[in-house]
Amino acid sequence: MTLRYISIGLDYDYYIQENNKLRYEFQTHTRFISNYFSRAIRKVKFDTGNEFNMISISLLPETILKQPDIKSNDVLKAYLPFNQERYEKIKGTEDCKYYLEVLEEGLKKASEFKPIPLEELLNLIDEFKKGGCKNEWVHKKKRFKEIDIEVILTCEFTTNYFQLIATINQISTKKELTKGIVIKTIPDEIHFQKMFKDILVHKNFIIITDTSDSARVLIYIDDAKKGIFEKVFAPYIYSDDYTKEENEEYEKTHNEVIEILSYDGSGF
């Protein structure tokens, strides 16, 4: 079994009953870290000996701390005390020092219980700090020579939001024409996974598809060539295969998804 996931969070079993709102809030503010280290550790390809594929740093009140253990769902869990006062001071800010301290201490504790690639993980933490604690990556880059345009989709995953940025360049001049936010959500994969996949061109639109290969976002090409970023969400198209009531229900769901993808950053 290969180590594929790293996570930090308030202990699910305890906080789901005691304060689930706080649990989800903390998880959401730290998902960008869990996501970054999960993607990074997969490159190490560390074999855990068929015992676990995830290391979870779980925070609990000091009065009920536990020893590390391996759960039946292939998770190596290390428990640490939760300093809620420190968390409250930094939540919503760009300061991730407390989160990384939790991660480092938890990994060291886990390494005392089972062999893990501790040196590689600590090096990843140092690299993350040196990079400004940014979790950003290029999702896709595509050239459309027939219209002299290159489109780059970049992901920005932070403690406060996730957003997909489209940068549109002119191939012949190598100049940036325009740039803008395609989607923006609360910083949790559940809100943006499967919401973007490919880049297509059709008529006067650059089309961003989702993982079902359906059009999700349309960007006007003529505006982009003038240096203007103008996008719209693809509308719901009624299907003859559904009843009127079913189409209305699907349209309602479609509009709810658009609302999720149009997060205004107002907090959570």
Side-chain angles (χ1 to χ4, degrees):
M1 192 176 294
T2 304
L3 181 57
R4 293 182 54 79
Y5 305 100
I6 306 291
S7 76
I8 60 174
L10 303 189
D11 186 70
Y12 182 86
D13 293 335
Y14 177 81
Y15 284 97
I16 192 72
Q17 300 178 38
E18 297 298 323
N19 193 337
N20 190 44
K21 181 180 179 181
L22 176 63
R23 181 200 64 81
Y24 180 68
E25 178 192 87
F26 184 92
Q27 173 186 301
T28 307
H29 278 304
T30 57
R31 276 310 306 169
F32 80 112
I33 291 176
S34 298
N35 174 276
Y36 178 92
F37 286 93
S38 293
R39 290 190 296 108
I41 197 59
R42 290 167 196 168
K43 298 175 184 177
V44 176
K45 297 181 180 179
F46 180 79
D47 186 355
T48 66
N50 205 35
E51 289 194 86
F52 56 92
N53 63 9
M54 177 178 182
I55 300 173
S56 173
I57 316 303
S58 294
L59 304 183
L60 283 163
E62 291 186 6
T63 53
I64 54 173
L65 281 185
K66 305 176 183 178
Q67 292 300 312
D69 61 15
I70 296 179
K71 294 293 186 182
S72 57
N73 55 351
D74 303 323
V75 178
L76 170 58
K77 299 193 78 170
Y79 299 93
L80 294 176
F82 176 41
N83 189 330
Q84 188 168 351
E85 184 178 352
R86 284 194 66 187
Y87 166 64
E88 296 290 346
K89 286 181 179 178
I90 67 164
K91 72 174 183 180
T93 73
E94 299 300 318
D95 184 356
C96 63
K97 184 178 179 181
Y98 172 58
Y99 305 141
L100 294 181
E101 285 177 8
V102 166
L103 178 61
E104 183 171 339
E105 187 178 348
L107 291 171
K108 288 178 178 177
K109 190 170 184 179
S111 72
E112 296 171 1
F113 184 71
K114 288 289 181 180
I116 65 171
L118 182 61
E119 183 177 352
E120 289 91 336
L121 285 163
L122 296 181
N123 286 337
L124 288 173
I125 292 174
D126 287 339
E127 289 174 13
F128 189 62
K129 289 178 181 177
K130 290 175 183 176
C133 298
K134 293 182 178 179
N135 184 2
E136 299 176 356
W137 66 95
V138 174
H139 169 70
K140 179 153 284 194
K141 182 186 294 186
K142 211 164 181 179
R143 287 187 162 201
F144 302 94
K145 294 181 179 179
E146 68 277 14
I147 56 172
D148 196 24
I149 275 181
E150 175 189 56
V151 183
I152 304 171
L153 296 181
T154 307
C155 299
E156 297 179 359
F157 198 172
T158 78
T159 188
N160 293 314
Y161 59 81
F162 169 87
Q163 60 186 18
L164 182 71
I165 304 291
T167 303
I168 303 171
N169 301 322
Q170 188 172 41
I171 298 172
S172 59
T173 63
K174 298 181 180 180
K175 290 183 179 179
E176 180 181 304
L177 296 172
T178 189
K179 184 177 184 179
I181 299 172
V182 178
I183 65 172
K184 186 171 184 175
T185 75
I186 287 174
D188 188 342
E189 292 96 326
I190 194 172
H191 293 293
F192 63 81
Q193 274 184 340
K194 301 184 178 181
M195 291 295 116
F196 52 93
K197 177 185 175 183
D198 203 0
I199 311 165
L200 307 175
V201 164
H202 180 66
K203 295 183 178 179
N204 190 38
F205 296 105
I206 296 166
I207 302 171
I208 311 301
T209 67
D210 59 23
T211 55
S212 70
D213 295 321
S214 300
R216 179 59 64 183
V217 177
L218 311 177
I219 302 170
Y220 293 96
I221 294 173
D222 287 347
D223 286 338
K225 288 185 173 182
K226 296 173 185 174
I228 301 168
F229 185 86
E230 188 69 33
K231 69 100 188 280
V232 294
F233 287 99
Y236 175 77
I237 300 174
Y238 272 51
S239 172
D240 293 335
D241 294 332
Y242 302 132
T243 65
K244 179 175 180 294
E245 291 75 18
E246 287 174 329
N247 270 305
E248 288 175 349
E249 189 62 31
Y250 284 128
E251 184 177 27
K252 179 182 177 184
T253 300
H254 176 83
N255 291 335
E256 288 171 350
V257 171
I258 289 176
E259 187 174 351
I260 290 171
L261 301 180
S262 306
Y263 177 55
D264 62 4
S266 58
F268 46 87

CSV table of all heavy atoms in Angstrom, one decimal, residues 109-160:
chain,number,residue,atom,x,y,z
A,109,LYS,N,5.3,12.6,15.6
A,109,LYS,CA,4.7,11.6,16.5
A,109,LYS,C,4.3,10.4,15.8
A,109,LYS,O,4.4,9.2,16.3
A,109,LYS,CB,3.4,12.3,17.1
A,109,LYS,CG,2.8,11.5,18.3
A,109,LYS,CD,1.8,12.3,19.0
A,109,LYS,CE,1.3,11.6,20.3
A,109,LYS,NZ,0.3,12.4,21.0
A,110,ALA,N,3.7,10.5,14.6
A,110,ALA,CA,3.4,9.3,13.8
A,110,ALA,C,4.6,8.4,13.5
A,110,ALA,O,4.5,7.2,13.5
A,110,ALA,CB,2.7,9.7,12.5
A,111,SER,N,5.7,9.1,13.3
A,111,SER,CA,7.0,8.3,12.9
A,111,SER,C,7.5,7.5,14.1
A,111,SER,O,8.2,6.5,13.9
A,111,SER,CB,8.0,9.3,12.5
A,111,SER,OG,8.6,10.0,13.5
A,112,GLU,N,7.1,7.8,15.3
A,112,GLU,CA,7.5,7.1,16.5
A,112,GLU,C,6.6,5.8,16.6
A,112,GLU,O,7.0,4.8,17.3
A,112,GLU,CB,7.3,7.9,17.7
A,112,GLU,CG,8.2,9.1,17.8
A,112,GLU,CD,7.8,10.1,18.9
A,112,GLU,OE1,6.9,9.7,19.7
A,112,GLU,OE2,8.5,11.1,19.1
A,113,PHE,N,5.5,5.7,15.9
A,113,PHE,CA,4.6,4.6,16.0
A,113,PHE,C,4.8,3.6,14.8
A,113,PHE,O,4.8,2.4,15.0
A,113,PHE,CB,3.2,5.1,16.0
A,113,PHE,CG,2.1,4.0,16.2
A,113,PHE,CD1,2.0,3.4,17.4
A,113,PHE,CD2,1.3,3.7,15.1
A,113,PHE,CE1,1.0,2.4,17.5
A,113,PHE,CE2,0.3,2.7,15.3
A,113,PHE,CZ,0.2,2.1,16.5
A,114,LYS,N,5.0,4.2,13.6
A,114,LYS,CA,5.2,3.4,12.4
A,114,LYS,C,6.2,4.1,11.5
A,114,LYS,O,6.3,5.3,11.5
A,114,LYS,CB,3.9,3.3,11.6
A,114,LYS,CG,2.9,2.4,12.3
A,114,LYS,CD,3.3,0.9,12.2
A,114,LYS,CE,2.3,0.0,12.8
A,114,LYS,NZ,2.7,-1.5,12.7
A,115,PRO,N,7.0,3.4,10.7
A,115,PRO,CA,7.9,4.0,9.7
A,115,PRO,C,7.1,4.8,8.7
A,115,PRO,O,6.2,4.3,8.0
A,115,PRO,CB,8.6,2.8,9.0
A,115,PRO,CG,8.4,1.6,10.0
A,115,PRO,CD,7.0,1.9,10.6
A,116,ILE,N,7.5,6.0,8.5
A,116,ILE,CA,7.0,6.9,7.5
A,116,ILE,C,8.2,7.7,6.8
A,116,ILE,O,9.2,7.8,7.4
A,116,ILE,CB,5.9,7.9,8.0
A,116,ILE,CG1,6.6,8.9,9.0
A,116,ILE,CG2,4.8,7.2,8.7
A,116,ILE,CD1,5.6,10.0,9.5
A,117,PRO,N,8.0,8.3,5.7
A,117,PRO,CA,9.1,9.0,5.1
A,117,PRO,C,9.2,10.4,5.7
A,117,PRO,O,9.0,11.5,5.1
A,117,PRO,CB,8.6,9.1,3.6
A,117,PRO,CG,7.1,9.1,3.6
A,117,PRO,CD,6.8,8.2,4.8
A,118,LEU,N,9.6,10.4,7.0
A,118,LEU,CA,9.6,11.7,7.7
A,118,LEU,C,10.6,12.7,7.1
A,118,LEU,O,10.2,13.9,7.1
A,118,LEU,CB,10.1,11.4,9.2
A,118,LEU,CG,10.1,12.6,10.1
A,118,LEU,CD1,8.7,13.2,10.3
A,118,LEU,CD2,10.6,12.2,11.5
A,119,GLU,N,11.8,12.3,6.7
A,119,GLU,CA,12.7,13.3,6.2
A,119,GLU,C,12.1,14.0,4.9
A,119,GLU,O,12.2,15.2,4.8
A,119,GLU,CB,14.0,12.6,5.8
A,119,GLU,CG,15.1,13.6,5.3
A,119,GLU,CD,16.4,12.9,5.1
A,119,GLU,OE1,16.6,11.7,5.4
A,119,GLU,OE2,17.3,13.6,4.5
A,120,GLU,N,11.5,13.2,4.1
A,120,GLU,CA,10.9,13.8,2.8
A,120,GLU,C,9.8,14.7,3.2
A,120,GLU,O,9.6,15.8,2.6
A,120,GLU,CB,10.4,12.6,1.9
A,120,GLU,CG,11.5,11.8,1.3
A,120,GLU,CD,11.9,10.6,2.1
A,120,GLU,OE1,11.7,10.6,3.3
A,120,GLU,OE2,12.4,9.6,1.5
A,121,LEU,N,9.0,14.3,4.2
A,121,LEU,CA,7.8,15.1,4.6
A,121,LEU,C,8.3,16.5,5.2
A,121,LEU,O,7.7,17.5,4.9
A,121,LEU,CB,6.9,14.4,5.6
A,121,LEU,CG,6.1,13.3,4.9
A,121,LEU,CD1,5.6,12.3,6.0
A,121,LEU,CD2,4.9,13.9,4.2
A,122,LEU,N,9.3,16.4,6.0
A,122,LEU,CA,9.8,17.6,6.6
A,122,LEU,C,10.5,18.5,5.6
A,122,LEU,O,10.3,19.8,5.7
A,122,LEU,CB,10.9,17.3,7.7
A,122,LEU,CG,10.3,16.5,8.9
A,122,LEU,CD1,11.4,16.3,9.9
A,122,LEU,CD2,9.2,17.3,9.6
A,123,ASN,N,11.1,17.9,4.6
A,123,ASN,CA,11.6,18.7,3.5
A,123,ASN,C,10.5,19.4,2.7
A,123,ASN,O,10.6,20.6,2.2
A,123,ASN,CB,12.5,17.8,2.5
A,123,ASN,CG,13.8,17.4,3.1
A,123,ASN,OD1,14.3,18.1,4.0
A,123,ASN,ND2,14.4,16.3,2.6
A,124,LEU,N,9.4,18.7,2.5
A,124,LEU,CA,8.2,19.3,1.8
A,124,LEU,C,7.7,20.4,2.6
A,124,LEU,O,7.2,21.4,2.0
A,124,LEU,CB,7.2,18.2,1.6
A,124,LEU,CG,7.4,17.1,0.6
A,124,LEU,CD1,6.4,16.0,0.6
A,124,LEU,CD2,7.5,17.7,-0.8
A,125,ILE,N,7.7,20.3,3.9
A,125,ILE,CA,7.2,21.5,4.7
A,125,ILE,C,8.1,22.7,4.5
A,125,ILE,O,7.6,23.8,4.4
A,125,ILE,CB,7.1,21.1,6.2
A,125,ILE,CG1,6.0,20.0,6.4
A,125,ILE,CG2,6.9,22.3,7.1
A,125,ILE,CD1,6.0,19.5,7.9
A,126,ASP,N,9.4,22.5,4.5
A,126,ASP,CA,10.4,23.6,4.3
A,126,ASP,C,10.1,24.2,2.9
A,126,ASP,O,10.2,25.4,2.8
A,126,ASP,CB,11.8,23.1,4.4
A,126,ASP,CG,12.2,22.8,5.8
A,126,ASP,OD1,11.6,23.3,6.8
A,126,ASP,OD2,13.2,22.0,6.0
A,127,GLU,N,9.9,23.4,1.9
A,127,GLU,CA,9.7,23.9,0.5
A,127,GLU,C,8.4,24.7,0.5
A,127,GLU,O,8.3,25.7,-0.2
A,127,GLU,CB,9.6,22.7,-0.5
A,127,GLU,CG,11.0,22.0,-0.7
A,127,GLU,CD,10.8,20.8,-1.6
A,127,GLU,OE1,9.7,20.6,-2.2
A,127,GLU,OE2,11.8,20.0,-1.7
A,128,PHE,N,7.4,24.2,1.2
A,128,PHE,CA,6.1,24.9,1.2
A,128,PHE,C,6.3,26.3,1.8
A,128,PHE,O,5.7,27.3,1.3
A,128,PHE,CB,5.1,24.0,2.0
A,128,PHE,CG,3.7,24.5,1.9
A,128,PHE,CD1,3.0,24.6,0.7
A,128,PHE,CD2,3.0,24.9,3.1
A,128,PHE,CE1,1.7,25.0,0.7
A,128,PHE,CE2,1.7,25.3,3.0
A,128,PHE,CZ,1.0,25.4,1.8
A,129,LYS,N,7.0,26.3,2.9
A,129,LYS,CA,7.3,27.6,3.6
A,129,LYS,C,8.0,28.6,2.7
A,129,LYS,O,7.7,29.8,2.5
A,129,LYS,CB,8.1,27.4,4.9
A,129,LYS,CG,7.3,26.7,6.0
A,129,LYS,CD,8.2,26.5,7.2
A,129,LYS,CE,7.5,25.8,8.3
A,129,LYS,NZ,8.4,25.5,9.5
A,130,LYS,N,9.1,28.1,2.0
A,130,LYS,CA,9.9,28.9,1.1
A,130,LYS,C,9.1,29.4,0.0
A,130,LYS,O,9.4,30.5,-0.6
A,130,LYS,CB,11.1,28.1,0.7
A,130,LYS,CG,12.1,27.8,1.8
A,130,LYS,CD,13.3,26.9,1.3
A,130,LYS,CE,14.3,26.6,2.4
A,130,LYS,NZ,15.3,25.6,1.9
A,131,GLY,N,8.1,28.7,-0.5
A,131,GLY,CA,7.3,29.1,-1.6
A,131,GLY,C,6.1,30.0,-1.2
A,131,GLY,O,5.2,30.3,-2.0
A,132,GLY,N,6.2,30.5,0.1
A,132,GLY,CA,5.1,31.4,0.5
A,132,GLY,C,3.8,30.7,0.9
A,132,GLY,O,2.8,31.3,1.0
A,133,CYS,N,3.9,29.4,1.2
A,133,CYS,CA,2.7,28.6,1.6
A,133,CYS,C,1.6,28.6,0.6
A,133,CYS,O,0.5,28.7,0.9
A,133,CYS,CB,2.2,29.1,3.0
A,133,CYS,SG,3.3,28.9,4.3
A,134,LYS,N,2.1,28.6,-0.7
A,134,LYS,CA,1.1,28.6,-1.8
A,134,LYS,C,0.9,27.2,-2.4
A,134,LYS,O,1.8,26.5,-2.6
A,134,LYS,CB,1.6,29.6,-2.9
A,134,LYS,CG,1.7,31.0,-2.5
A,134,LYS,CD,2.1,31.9,-3.6
A,134,LYS,CE,2.1,33.4,-3.2
A,134,LYS,NZ,2.6,34.3,-4.3
A,135,ASN,N,-0.4,27.0,-2.6
A,135,ASN,CA,-0.8,25.7,-3.3
A,135,ASN,C,-1.4,26.1,-4.6
A,135,ASN,O,-2.6,26.4,-4.7
A,135,ASN,CB,-1.8,24.9,-2.4
A,135,ASN,CG,-2.1,23.6,-3.0
A,135,ASN,OD1,-1.6,23.2,-4.1
A,135,ASN,ND2,-3.0,22.9,-2.4
A,136,GLU,N,-0.5,26.2,-5.6
A,136,GLU,CA,-1.0,26.6,-7.0
A,136,GLU,C,-0.4,25.6,-8.0
A,136,GLU,O,0.7,25.2,-7.9
A,136,GLU,CB,-0.5,28.0,-7.3
A,136,GLU,CG,-1.0,29.1,-6.3
A,136,GLU,CD,-0.5,30.5,-6.5
A,136,GLU,OE1,0.4,30.6,-7.4
A,136,GLU,OE2,-0.9,31.4,-5.9
A,137,TRP,N,-1.2,25.4,-9.1
A,137,TRP,CA,-0.7,24.5,-10.1
A,137,TRP,C,-1.4,24.8,-11.4
A,137,TRP,O,-2.5,25.4,-11.4
A,137,TRP,CB,-0.8,23.0,-9.7
A,137,TRP,CG,-2.3,22.6,-9.6
A,137,TRP,CD1,-3.0,21.9,-10.6
A,137,TRP,CD2,-3.1,22.6,-8.5
A,137,TRP,NE1,-4.3,21.6,-10.1
A,137,TRP,CE2,-4.4,22.0,-8.8
A,137,TRP,CE3,-3.0,23.2,-7.2
A,137,TRP,CZ2,-5.4,22.0,-7.9
A,137,TRP,CZ3,-4.0,23.1,-6.3
A,137,TRP,CH2,-5.2,22.5,-6.7
A,138,VAL,N,-0.7,24.5,-12.5
A,138,VAL,CA,-1.4,24.6,-13.8
A,138,VAL,C,-2.2,23.4,-14.1
A,138,VAL,O,-1.7,22.2,-14.1
A,138,VAL,CB,-0.3,24.8,-14.9
A,138,VAL,CG1,-1.0,24.8,-16.3
A,138,VAL,CG2,0.5,26.1,-14.7
A,139,HIS,N,-3.5,23.5,-14.3
A,139,HIS,CA,-4.4,22.4,-14.6
A,139,HIS,C,-4.2,22.0,-16.1
A,139,HIS,O,-4.1,20.8,-16.4
A,139,HIS,CB,-5.8,22.8,-14.3
A,139,HIS,CG,-6.8,21.8,-14.8
A,139,HIS,ND1,-6.9,20.5,-14.3
A,139,HIS,CD2,-7.7,21.9,-15.9
A,139,HIS,CE1,-7.9,19.9,-14.9
A,139,HIS,NE2,-8.3,20.6,-15.9
A,140,LYS,N,-4.3,23.0,-17.0
A,140,LYS,CA,-4.2,22.6,-18.4
A,140,LYS,C,-3.7,23.9,-19.2
A,140,LYS,O,-4.1,25.0,-18.8
A,140,LYS,CB,-5.6,22.2,-18.9
A,140,LYS,CG,-5.6,21.8,-20.4
A,140,LYS,CD,-6.6,20.8,-20.8
A,140,LYS,CE,-6.2,19.4,-20.4
A,140,LYS,NZ,-7.0,18.3,-21.0
A,141,LYS,N,-3.0,23.6,-20.2
A,141,LYS,CA,-2.5,24.6,-21.2
A,141,LYS,C,-2.8,24.1,-22.6
A,141,LYS,O,-2.5,23.0,-22.9
A,141,LYS,CB,-1.0,24.9,-21.0
A,141,LYS,CG,-0.5,26.0,-21.9
A,141,LYS,CD,1.1,26.0,-21.7
A,141,LYS,CE,1.5,26.5,-20.4
A,141,LYS,NZ,3.0,26.7,-20.3
A,142,LYS,N,-3.5,25.0,-23.4
A,142,LYS,CA,-3.9,24.5,-24.7
A,142,LYS,C,-3.8,25.6,-25.7
A,142,LYS,O,-4.1,26.8,-25.4
A,142,LYS,CB,-5.3,24.0,-24.7
A,142,LYS,CG,-5.7,22.9,-25.6
A,142,LYS,CD,-7.0,22.2,-25.3
A,142,LYS,CE,-7.3,21.1,-26.2
A,142,LYS,NZ,-8.5,20.4,-25.8
A,143,ARG,N,-3.3,25.3,-26.9
A,143,ARG,CA,-3.1,26.3,-28.0
A,143,ARG,C,-4.2,26.0,-29.1
A,143,ARG,O,-4.4,24.9,-29.5
A,143,ARG,CB,-1.7,26.2,-28.6
A,143,ARG,CG,-0.7,26.8,-27.7
A,143,ARG,CD,0.7,26.8,-28.4
A,143,ARG,NE,1.6,27.7,-27.7
A,143,ARG,CZ,2.7,28.3,-28.3
A,143,ARG,NH1,2.9,28.0,-29.6
A,143,ARG,NH2,3.4,29.1,-27.6
A,144,PHE,N,-4.7,27.1,-29.6
A,144,PHE,CA,-5.6,27.1,-30.7
A,144,PHE,C,-5.1,28.0,-31.8
A,144,PHE,O,-5.3,29.2,-31.9
A,144,PHE,CB,-7.0,27.5,-30.3
A,144,PHE,CG,-7.6,26.7,-29.1
A,144,PHE,CD1,-7.4,27.1,-27.8
A,144,PHE,CD2,-8.3,25.5,-29.4
A,144,PHE,CE1,-7.9,26.4,-26.8
A,144,PHE,CE2,-8.8,24.8,-28.3
A,144,PHE,CZ,-8.6,25.2,-27.0
A,145,LYS,N,-4.2,27.4,-32.7
A,145,LYS,CA,-3.5,28.1,-33.7
A,145,LYS,C,-4.4,28.8,-34.7
A,145,LYS,O,-4.1,29.9,-35.2
A,145,LYS,CB,-2.5,27.2,-34.4
A,145,LYS,CG,-1.4,26.7,-33.5
A,145,LYS,CD,-0.4,25.8,-34.2
A,145,LYS,CE,0.7,25.4,-33.3
A,145,LYS,NZ,1.7,24.5,-34.0
A,146,GLU,N,-5.6,28.2,-34.9
A,146,GLU,CA,-6.5,28.8,-35.9
A,146,GLU,C,-7.0,30.1,-35.5
A,146,GLU,O,-7.5,30.9,-36.4
A,146,GLU,CB,-7.6,27.8,-36.2
A,146,GLU,CG,-8.6,27.5,-35.1
A,146,GLU,CD,-8.1,26.5,-34.1
A,146,GLU,OE1,-6.9,26.2,-34.1
A,146,GLU,OE2,-9.0,26.1,-33.2
A,147,ILE,N,-7.0,30.4,-34.2
A,147,ILE,CA,-7.5,31.7,-33.7
A,147,ILE,C,-6.4,32.5,-33.0
A,147,ILE,O,-6.7,33.5,-32.4
A,147,ILE,CB,-8.8,31.6,-32.8
A,147,ILE,CG1,-8.5,30.7,-31.7
A,147,ILE,CG2,-10.0,31.1,-33.6
A,147,ILE,CD1,-9.6,30.7,-30.6
A,148,ASP,N,-5.2,32.0,-33.1
A,148,ASP,CA,-4.0,32.6,-32.5
A,148,ASP,C,-4.1,32.9,-31.0
A,148,ASP,O,-3.8,33.9,-30.5
A,148,ASP,CB,-3.8,34.0,-33.3
A,148,ASP,CG,-2.4,34.5,-33.0
A,148,ASP,OD1,-1.5,33.8,-32.7
A,148,ASP,OD2,-2.2,35.8,-33.1
A,149,ILE,N,-4.6,31.9,-30.3
A,149,ILE,CA,-4.9,32.0,-28.9
A,149,ILE,C,-4.3,30.8,-28.1
A,149,ILE,O,-4.5,29.7,-28.6
A,149,ILE,CB,-6.4,32.2,-28.6
A,149,ILE,CG1,-6.7,33.7,-28.7
A,149,ILE,CG2,-6.8,31.7,-27.2
A,149,ILE,CD1,-8.1,34.0,-28.4
A,150,GLU,N,-3.8,31.1,-26.9
A,150,GLU,CA,-3.4,30.1,-26.0
A,150,GLU,C,-4.1,30.3,-24.7
A,150,GLU,O,-4.3,31.4,-24.2
A,150,GLU,CB,-1.9,30.1,-25.7
A,150,GLU,CG,-1.4,29.2,-24.6
A,150,GLU,CD,0.1,29.4,-24.2
A,150,GLU,OE1,0.4,30.6,-23.8
A,150,GLU,OE2,0.9,28.5,-24.3
A,151,VAL,N,-4.7,29.2,-24.1
A,151,VAL,CA,-5.4,29.3,-22.9
A,151,VAL,C,-4.7,28.5,-21.8
A,151,VAL,O,-4.4,27.3,-22.0
A,151,VAL,CB,-6.9,28.8,-23.0
A,151,VAL,CG1,-7.7,29.0,-21.7
A,151,VAL,CG2,-7.6,29.6,-24.2
A,152,ILE,N,-4.5,29.1,-20.6
A,152,ILE,CA,-3.9,28.4,-19.5
A,152,ILE,C,-4.8,28.5,-18.3
A,152,ILE,O,-5.3,29.6,-17.9
A,152,ILE,CB,-2.5,29.1,-19.1
A,152,ILE,CG1,-1.6,29.1,-20.3
A,152,ILE,CG2,-1.9,28.3,-18.0
A,152,ILE,CD1,-0.3,29.9,-20.1
A,153,LEU,N,-5.1,27.3,-17.8
A,153,LEU,CA,-6.0,27.2,-16.6
A,153,LEU,C,-5.1,27.0,-15.4
A,153,LEU,O,-4.4,26.0,-15.3
A,153,LEU,CB,-7.0,26.1,-16.7
A,153,LEU,CG,-8.1,26.3,-17.8
A,153,LEU,CD1,-9.0,25.1,-17.8
A,153,LEU,CD2,-8.8,27.6,-17.7
A,154,THR,N,-5.1,27.9,-14.4
A,154,THR,CA,-4.3,27.8,-13.2
A,154,THR,C,-5.2,27.7,-12.0
A,154,THR,O,-6.2,28.4,-11.8
A,154,THR,CB,-3.4,29.0,-13.1
A,154,THR,OG1,-2.6,29.2,-14.3
A,154,THR,CG2,-2.4,28.8,-11.9
A,155,CYS,N,-4.8,26.7,-11.1
A,155,CYS,CA,-5.6,26.6,-9.8
A,155,CYS,C,-4.9,27.3,-8.7
A,155,CYS,O,-3.7,27.2,-8.5
A,155,CYS,CB,-5.7,25.1,-9.5
A,155,CYS,SG,-6.6,24.1,-10.7
A,156,GLU,N,-5.6,28.0,-7.9
A,156,GLU,CA,-5.1,28.7,-6.7
A,156,GLU,C,-6.0,28.2,-5.5
A,156,GLU,O,-7.2,28.5,-5.4
A,156,GLU,CB,-5.2,30.2,-6.8
A,156,GLU,CG,-4.3,30.7,-7.9
A,156,GLU,CD,-4.5,32.3,-8.1
A,156,GLU,OE1,-5.2,32.9,-7.3
A,156,GLU,OE2,-3.8,32.8,-9.0
A,157,PHE,N,-5.4,27.4,-4.6
A,157,PHE,CA,-6.0,26.8,-3.5
A,157,PHE,C,-5.5,27.5,-2.2
A,157,PHE,O,-4.3,27.3,-1.9
A,157,PHE,CB,-5.8,25.3,-3.5
A,157,PHE,CG,-6.7,24.5,-2.7
A,157,PHE,CD1,-6.7,23.1,-2.8
A,157,PHE,CD2,-7.6,25.1,-1.8
A,157,PHE,CE1,-7.5,22.3,-2.0
A,157,PHE,CE2,-8.5,24.3,-1.0
A,157,PHE,CZ,-8.5,22.9,-1.1
A,158,THR,N,-6.2,28.3,-1.5
A,158,THR,CA,-5.7,29.0,-0.3
A,158,THR,C,-6.6,28.6,0.9
A,158,THR,O,-7.5,27.9,0.8
A,158,THR,CB,-5.8,30.5,-0.5
A,158,THR,OG1,-7.2,31.0,-0.3
A,158,THR,CG2,-5.4,30.9,-1.9
A,159,THR,N,-6.2,29.2,2.0
A,159,THR,CA,-6.9,29.0,3.3
A,159,THR,C,-8.3,29.6,3.2
A,159,THR,O,-9.2,29.2,4.0
A,159,THR,CB,-6.2,29.5,4.5
A,159,THR,OG1,-6.8,29.1,5.7
A,159,THR,CG2,-6.1,31.1,4.4
A,160,ASN,N,-8.6,30.5,2.3
A,160,ASN,CA,-9.9,31.2,2.3
A,160,ASN,C,-10.8,30.9,1.1
A,160,ASN,O,-12.0,31.2,1.1
A,160,ASN,CB,-9.7,32.7,2.4
A,160,ASN,CG,-9.1,33.1,3.7
A,160,ASN,OD1,-9.6,32.7,4.8
A,160,ASN,ND2,-8.1,33.9,3.7
